[in-house]
Structures are given as C-alpha cells and as structure tokens.
Amino acid sequence: MLQSKPSYTTRKQAFAHQQSPHVVWGSLLVLLLAALLRIHNLDANGLWGDEGWSVEFSEPSSPALVTQNLVDDLHPPFYFITLSAWRQVAGDSEIPMRFWAVCPALLTVALVDRIGRKLFSPSAGIAAGLVLALADKHILLSQEVRHYPLAFMWMAASSLAFLHWLENPTRRRTLLYASIMIAAVYTHYYTALILPVQVIYAGLVLRPVQRIWKLLFMMGLALLAFVPWALVAVHQLLIRPEGILHSMPLSWATADTLTIDYLGRPVILGIGLILLGALSIKNRGQFLQWNESPAVWYPVLWLAVPIIISIVVYPVVTVLTDRNLALLLLPIAILAGHGIVAFHPPGRYILAALVVVNGLASADSRYVQPDWRSMAHFVEQNYPVDEPVLMDVRGGDKALGYYLRRLLPSGTQVISLNQWRIDYGIYFLGPVQDLLEKNDGFWVAYWGDGPYEMDNVYQNYGYTQTATRRFYHLGAPIDWYHYDRLPNTDEILGTFGDTIRLHRVKTAYEVKRGGTLNVSLWWSAPQTPSISYSISVFLMDGDGILRAQDDSAPQNGKVPTTTWIPDQVVFDSHAIKIPKNLSAGEYQLAVKVYNSADGQILHILTDSAISQEYLIIGAVQVR
C-alpha cells in the first residue's frame, strides 16, 4: 500500500466503495449514538476540582492573559484559549462549557472511523467508531470541562494526516500534518507520544527508506513552532520535579485498574477483540487464519509505545494517570473494530450487537466527586447579606468558588484560603486578620484531616462558631462552619416567652417579586428549652394581612431548640418565597416563635408589659 501510489481507477473504486449508502448510514448511526451518550445528562454532576481549574484559567477574555496564567501550571495554553473564546459566545454555565469537550469527542469518533477504513476496510472503520462511541472512559472525559477530548482529537487527526502523507507526501499534506501537530502539542504534552509511533511505523513500511527524512522534516516543523513554549514547559517541570502529584503507582494493581477502566467488563471480550485485530486474524472459509498486513502495525505501535515510554520515564517524572493514558482508547477501538470484522456475517453482526448491549448496559469507568454544587446551594439558602465566604477545601476551591460566585449576590467576596497561602506565603495571616477585622461573620468550607486548625485563629479575633453543616465525600467529611463576632449578651431585640432571645437580624430589605428574601437570625436561650420550637418569618401588608412566610425549626430542623446549649448563640436562616403576583410596595418583616407540636405561640413582653405575638424586625421593599 505504501510502496507505490494507487492508480486513479483503484482509488476511485475504493472511494466509491467507502461512500456506499450502507457505509454512510453506518457511520452516521455510530455518530448519533456517540452524541446521545455524551450529551445525555451532560449537567447531571456538578463541576469537580480540575474542571474548576479549567474555568479559572480560561476566565480572561484575552489569549495573552490566559497564556500568562498557565506559565506556573502543568499545561500548554491552546485548549484554555479556545475555551475562553467559546465562553464569550456560549456562556459560563455547565452545559455550554462541557459541550466544548463533546464536539472534539464526536470528531474523534469520526476520525477513528476514517482511520479504520484507511488501514483496513469501511466495515472495520464503522466498528472502530462504534467501540469508541461506547467506551465508558471516553464518554466520561467527553462530559468534563477538560482538554483531553481535544488532545485525543488532534492525535486522531494527526494519524489520519500521517497515513495520507505516506501515500503521497505533497506540500499541502506536509503543512496540514505540521499544523495539526502544532495544535496538538500546544493542547497537551502527551500528544507528542504519537511522534515516535509514526517514526517507527514509517521506518517499518516506508519505501524507499530515504523518504523518512521528509517525515522527520515534517515533524521538525511542528516541533520548531513549539520552541517558544518549550522554555515555559521546562519551567513547569522544574517547579514540579516530582511530576503529577496524583500519578498512579507503577504496579500490577494499576494495570488491572486501567484495563477495566479502558476495556470494561468482561475484560476478556475487549482483550479478545484486540488480539483478533492485532494478529489480523481473518475468517477464511471455515477457519480463522492469520492474514499478515503491515497496516495493523500502526495501531499496535500506538497502543504499545505510550505504555513503554510512560514506564521508562516513571522513575524520573511521574506522569502515569488514567486520563493521560486514555489516549490508548483510540488504538484500542481501532484494533477491536478490526477484530469484530474478522468474522463473516452474521458472526460480525452478532459480535457487534454483543459489544453494543454490553456497552449500554454497563458503566465501568466512573468518578465520585465532591458535590460542590449542592454545597454552594446550601450557602445560597443560608447566606447572611454582605458577608464574605471562605473556602479551605484542598483542590476543590476552584469548582466550589465557581458555584458560589454564580449563586451568591454580585460582589460577594469568595476567598480561597489555599490560594492565599500560596500567594502570601509566611504573610498569610496578614490578609486573614484584615478580613476578620472588617466583618462580623462569614461562612467557611473545610475539607481536611482532623479538627479545623484555623478555628483558634478565628477565636483569637473574637469569633465563635454559630452553625455547622456536614457533607460527605467517600466517607470523608466536608464541613461548612459559620463564624460570628457575637453581640453583647445585653444586645437583645426581643425575648420570646422569657425563653428565647433574638440578638441580631440580617436581610437585604429589598426583593423582587418571584424572588427569595433570605433572612438571617441569631438566637440564644439562658437555659436549654424543654420544648422544640419553630420560627416563623413573614411579610405583612399595611393592613396586617399575611403575604409570604417561611416556617421551620432553627437551621431547617438541623438544630432544634431542645439541643441548644445555655447562652450559646445559634445562627438561623429563613428563605421567604415572594409570590409573583404580590403587589409592589413596602411590607413589614416580622418573626414569631411557637411550639412545633401544638402551635402555641411564645408571646413577647414589651417594656409596657403588653404581650405581642410577633416582633417587627424591619420593612421590606418589594419591587
């Protein structure tokens, strides 16, 4: 195939065969299946830590600023620049940002189809696309705001351009290949692993061998364009000489994990198809026989070389991650697709149906990530107006911060203490002190081992913990704490039944019709109440008619009054839903306390000894 250029008639016949209706429809159905699997439930899970990094790095609208932000990271800039541009057009919500990964993922399925056709046959191409379309790992990576699908697309495009160039090394094909490789290495460093694959393959099949110098020149064009960024790449390696911190260990357990991750269960099905494809076994007559073909060496090398290189460099730089090596999904799909068509119909159709059923019925690659979206919603529903929100949550601060900034009022300070530790170093407590002195309360998220070490710092500045909310991730707690600089014990807005004291109220005092008014209250009791009381926060019009309300035990029932510690201040929050048809105007905001069991109200004694059922705590403007 590579020793002489096919005649025009031969190429025309091959093209016509590849464009036959059943081939076209087969490819379209595979692409449709791939799209459905990748678009379905695209926003079912919230962003996780690394997606938060992608969002933050692509935040600037200027490519120069995006590139500058990545200098001290571990990645090249191309994906983040394109994501930044895409966000200017499509927006910042989860579905548009993740769709930017779906698009190259679908193109990769189409390119794998074309590679399979180029190397073997139209049927092998369709089967290869089908295997990749159903690959759980590829689906998973296609639904994240990350650069892996784009990197895999460039590797597939590079392979197809390379195979075309081998047939006829024209100047146009040389420039096309070089352009693709430039985009690839500026997207992910691991894409460079396709270069030794192609060099080795060319050395095996290229005739005359002297033409390999043209190939090296073509690759040199791509690497030459990478020189400006090469110094940055060296800098990135020097500041992280240990490599990727979450790299997997080099062990048989890792091999077993990745085998299941990439092939799914039962692994014998995937391994069997790969072996059939790699050995080029064909059904001839009534027997399976080996059909020697140099074309199969390309996907075999593509599968073997990255594994070998990753193992060799592991003692120097730990880069062995399930995401980096997911590039192996492409040669796996090509070889497995070739293995499926080793059988004549109806055998190949039965085998393809088995692959489809197994692929749709199982999900062998999944991640369980912290639910930062739910945690941010909790703060949104319990947010005291004009307070900062702090995050001390390891690597999850970028994802959590994304949701907090979207959900909380514009201008809210959302601060990553981890980032402050990096930015300020030994002076870290300086900005923390300034923040504490300027505020009287804040929420802080903590994810770590053992007690929260910053608690003593907050206490030294007069803060006390007034509320907690615990979430879990794989059994490990992630806590929200609310800290307040407490009012004096004699600062009391009202005492309900000589039992419960209201110390402080925070709200926006302005709300839109159809919106939600968050009202924050701070309570205490001289003795632990023996009765579980509920709090009602409500709006009344000028005639004293109830218009909107929210009733619940303190902290939505999480901290009933029967659990209060004497004189301990308890933070409480209520969200009043404002009816859309409520007339605009001023309304009175009031609060009352009553027995949860029988509804008996705790009356308020005023200075004039007149008993009141509720306390007016402000006026709210509804617009």
Side-chain angles (χ1 to χ4, degrees):
M1 126 177 133
L2 301 173
Q3 295 179 4
S4 61
K5 183 177 177 181
S7 67
Y8 173 77
T9 303
T10 303
R11 286 185 283 118
K12 185 176 180 180
Q13 291 174 344
F15 179 80
H17 180 57
Q18 292 197 14
Q19 300 304 311
S20 62
H22 77 276
V23 171
V24 173
W25 278 108
S27 296
L28 288 176
L29 288 174
V30 167
L31 273 177
L32 178 61
L33 175 63
L36 289 174
L37 292 175
R38 284 152 182 78
I39 296 174
H40 176 65
N41 281 339
L42 194 56
D43 65 339
N45 299 310
L47 302 185
W48 66 286
D50 282 7
E51 288 182 284
W53 281 94
S54 296
V55 172
E56 180 166 297
F57 281 134
S58 62
E59 189 70 34
S61 57
S62 165
L65 291 176
V66 173
T67 303
Q68 182 179 339
N69 290 342
L70 284 160
V71 169
D72 291 330
D73 190 57
L74 282 173
H75 301 99
F78 185 77
Y79 165 76
F80 301 95
I81 292 173
T82 62
L83 177 60
S84 175
W86 173 251
R87 290 171 63 182
Q88 311 310 312
V89 177
D92 286 336
S93 61
E94 296 147 305
I95 289 180
M97 289 194 296
R98 284 177 169 164
F99 194 75
W100 194 238
V102 171
C103 292
L106 295 179
L107 285 172
T108 304
V109 173
L111 288 167
V112 164
D113 180 332
R114 298 298 300 181
I115 294 170
R117 296 189 197 192
K118 186 71 177 172
L119 292 172
F120 307 117
S121 68
S123 297
I126 294 172
L130 178 64
V131 173
L132 186 61
L134 292 165
D136 291 332
K137 189 70 171 186
H138 195 258
I139 296 171
L140 185 66
L141 295 177
S142 303
Q143 295 186 321
E144 294 185 347
V145 189
R146 297 295 286 153
H147 50 345
Y148 299 101
L150 183 61
F152 301 157
M153 184 200 77
W154 291 130
M155 296 188 83
S158 162
S159 296
L160 188 60
F162 166 74
L163 293 172
H164 279 290
W165 182 90
L166 285 179
E167 283 187 346
N168 185 15
T170 64
R171 180 177 301 176
R172 179 180 297 180
R173 290 180 176 180
T174 297
L175 292 176
L176 175 62
Y177 174 87
S179 299
I180 292 171
M181 281 309 308
I182 290 168
V185 293
Y186 272 100
T187 299
H188 196 292
Y189 299 133
Y190 239 62
T191 57
L193 291 183
I194 200 67
L195 296 176
V197 172
Q198 292 168 350
V199 170
I200 296 171
Y201 181 71
L204 292 173
V205 303
L206 201 57
R207 298 294 182 271
V209 177
Q210 288 77 7
R211 282 174 55 189
I212 199 169
W213 291 109
K214 292 184 178 180
L215 173 65
L216 295 177
F217 171 76
M218 180 172 65
M219 293 179 175
L221 287 177
L223 296 178
L224 184 64
F226 186 70
V227 168
W229 187 259
L231 295 177
V232 178
V234 172
H235 165 73
Q236 292 175 340
L237 181 61
L238 291 177
I239 63 175
R240 289 180 177 82
E242 72 283 354
I244 301 174
L245 294 178
H246 53 272
S247 175
M248 304 175 76
L250 188 61
S251 65
W252 287 113
T254 294
D256 182 63
T257 299
L258 294 180
T259 300
I260 296 173
D261 207 20
Y262 298 159
L263 301 183
R265 291 187 177 92
V267 294
I268 189 63
L269 175 62
I271 292 174
L273 291 176
I274 291 171
L275 288 176
L276 281 174
L279 297 176
S280 291
I281 293 177
K282 297 293 183 183
N283 192 342
R284 293 182 174 179
Q286 308 214 343
F287 302 97
L288 288 175
Q289 298 180 8
W290 182 43
N291 180 27
E292 183 178 357
S293 170
V296 79
W297 298 345
Y298 188 77
V300 169
L301 288 169
W302 192 352
L303 182 63
V305 170
I307 295 175
I308 294 171
I309 292 177
S310 297
I311 293 173
V312 170
V313 304
Y314 187 88
V316 180
V317 182
T318 55
V319 293
L320 186 59
T321 73
D322 60 310
R323 294 169 181 273
N324 286 344
L325 279 180
L327 65 91
L328 300 178
L329 292 170
L330 278 61
I332 286 173
I334 294 169
L335 290 172
H338 190 215
I340 289 174
V341 300
F343 297 88
H344 289 312
R348 71 173 56 170
Y349 300 135
I350 295 173
L351 194 53
L354 177 62
V355 170
V356 171
V357 171
N358 185 64
L360 295 177
S362 62
D364 296 301
S365 181
R366 62 171 65 89
Y367 299 114
V368 180
Q369 305 291 357
D371 192 357
W372 302 119
R373 183 166 54 188
S374 294
M375 297 181 210
H377 274 298
F378 166 76
V379 173
E380 177 199 20
Q381 296 162 4
N382 297 273
Y383 175 67
V385 65
D386 295 332
E387 288 190 357
V389 178
L390 281 57
M391 302 175 293
D392 210 344
V393 289
R394 301 178 183 173
D397 51 351
K398 309 301 183 185
L400 178 58
Y402 164 81
Y403 287 112
L404 290 172
R405 292 183 181 92
R406 290 179 63 84
L407 296 173
L408 296 180
S410 177
T412 300
Q413 280 187 289
V414 179
I415 298 166
S416 168
L417 294 181
N418 286 333
Q419 191 61 49
W420 273 16
R421 290 186 181 96
I422 295 171
D423 293 341
Y424 296 104
I426 61 174
Y427 303 105
F428 162 69
L429 290 180
V432 172
Q433 177 181 347
D434 291 341
L435 181 76
L436 297 179
E437 290 176 347
K438 293 176 181 177
N439 295 276
D440 57 12
F442 58 89
W443 278 109
V444 57
Y446 172 63
W447 183 19
D449 300 321
Y452 186 31
E453 64 274 7
M454 290 293 290
D455 183 71
N456 290 331
V457 176
Y458 304 145
Q459 289 187 31
N460 290 339
Y461 287 94
Y463 284 84
T464 300
Q465 218 178 92
T466 57
T468 63
R469 174 71 163 88
R470 174 158 288 185
F471 293 82
Y472 287 94
H473 170 58
L474 299 177
I478 304 176
D479 292 314
W480 276 111
Y481 301 123
H482 195 271
Y483 284 89
D484 286 287
R485 198 195 311 271
L486 298 178
N488 297 327
T489 55
D490 58 351
E491 294 180 23
I492 298 173
L493 300 178
T495 302
F496 297 76
D498 291 329
T499 303
I500 295 178
R501 302 172 298 202
L502 178 61
H503 294 280
R504 182 185 290 168
V505 176
K506 279 188 179 182
T507 188
Y509 295 108
E510 185 174 334
V511 66
K512 294 181 180 180
R513 286 173 289 183
T516 300
L517 179 69
N518 287 333
V519 181
S520 301
L521 309 168
W522 283 261
W523 306 93
S524 74
Q527 300 295 329
T528 301
S530 59
I531 296 173
S532 177
Y533 292 102
S534 288
I535 313 297
S536 178
V537 185
F538 53 94
L539 291 182
M540 298 184 301
D541 61 17
D543 297 325
I545 298 175
L546 181 68
R547 295 300 183 182
Q549 71 182 107
D550 179 78
D551 288 38
S552 73
Q555 294 186 22
N556 292 314
K558 297 289 192 301
V559 186
T561 56
T562 53
T563 65
W564 289 7
I565 297 173
D567 291 324
Q568 182 182 37
V569 176
V570 175
F571 168 75
D572 183 28
S573 184
H574 293 262
I576 304 176
K577 303 292 184 182
I578 308 300
K580 292 182 179 179
N581 59 355
L582 186 64
S583 299
E586 186 176 273
Y587 294 81
Q588 290 184 316
L589 179 64
V591 61
K592 68 179 178 182
V593 180
Y594 61 93
N595 189 322
S596 302
D598 58 18
Q600 184 175 352
I601 296 173
L602 279 183
H603 287 72
I604 305 164
L605 289 178
T606 65
D607 293 338
S608 58
I610 299 175
S611 176
Q612 296 179 184
E613 290 189 352
Y614 55 83
L615 178 69
I616 302 296
I617 55 176
V620 174
Q621 193 70 32
V622 176
R623 301 191 184 279

